[in-house]
Amino acid sequence: MRGQSYARYNALSWATGKSAAEIGAEIEAAEHKALTHTFQWNEVGNASDCWTRADALRELLSSPTST
């Protein structure tokens, strides 16, 4: 598993047991990082992974079975 599929898996795994408020805060943090962080060559992840994380969490919150 690599790149966006891992970012999505990691986001959904992280969200297990979290409240809607915690997930909302994580969405904001991921979007902020995607917009403002300068990713170094040796850093795991990139702006695309941050957007994927935010999108996956947003989808989770909008699903009818979300917490």
Side-chain angles (χ1 to χ4, degrees), residues 3-39:
Q4 291 183 347
S5 62
Y6 180 75
R8 182 174 181 74
Y9 166 80
N10 183 273
L12 296 176
S13 177
W14 172 88
T16 302
K18 300 288 193 292
S19 69
E22 290 172 303
I23 294 170
E26 182 65 14
I27 291 169
E28 289 181 24
E31 290 175 344
H32 179 74
K33 185 174 182 179
L35 292 170
T36 62
H37 185 71
T38 302
F39 292 88

Side-chain angles (χ1 to χ4, degrees), residues 33 37-47 49:
K33 185 174 182 179
H37 185 71
T38 302
F39 292 88
Q40 301 299 313
W41 68 270
N42 61 344
E43 188 173 0
V44 174
N46 56 37
D49 291 345

